Amino acid sequence: MAYKTSYPDRYGLLKEFARENRKNQTLAESVLWEYIRDEALGVKFLRQHIIGDYIVDFLARSEGLIIEVDGAYHAERHQMEEDAVRTEFLQSLGYRVLRFTNEQVLFDIDLVIQQIKDYFEKGIIINNSYNEQ
């Protein structure tokens, strides 16, 4: 079944959006993908994966970890509220969500990768100004 984490009635529509997102990644998503692809961190990641009504940037299904890379519009009040609802839904399914800004990925990739590794090694998400869990 191709829609294991998607709602079956929405899978067809979201599948096309996910495919387009994979073809048209942001620069920050592309940079992070180069660091986590091909099990570079010992874990398989999926890109633009459908969960419920959402398409998450990266998913390590075996670890229950979602990584989101957020552009500037995520700092807008309305988007922050939508992101909170999205995160709450994903957490209700048992996932943990790590969020990074484009700037964090582009200008401090070593710290981003270390925080991902810390999650895998210690099962914790470091509280910083952007990842408050």
Side-chain angles (χ1 to χ4, degrees), residues 66-84:
I66 293 168
I67 300 174
E68 298 279 42
V69 180
D70 296 337
Y73 72 95
H74 286 272
E76 296 173 9
R77 183 177 161 202
H78 173 73
Q79 189 60 47
M80 289 173 70
E81 291 169 359
E82 286 186 18
D83 287 346

Side-chain angles (χ1 to χ4, degrees), residues 28 69-72 100-109 112 130:
V69 180
D70 296 337
F100 298 102
T101 64
N102 285 346
E103 290 75 18
Q104 287 174 305
V105 171
L106 295 174
F107 301 113
D108 202 357
I109 190 66
V112 168
Y130 204 68

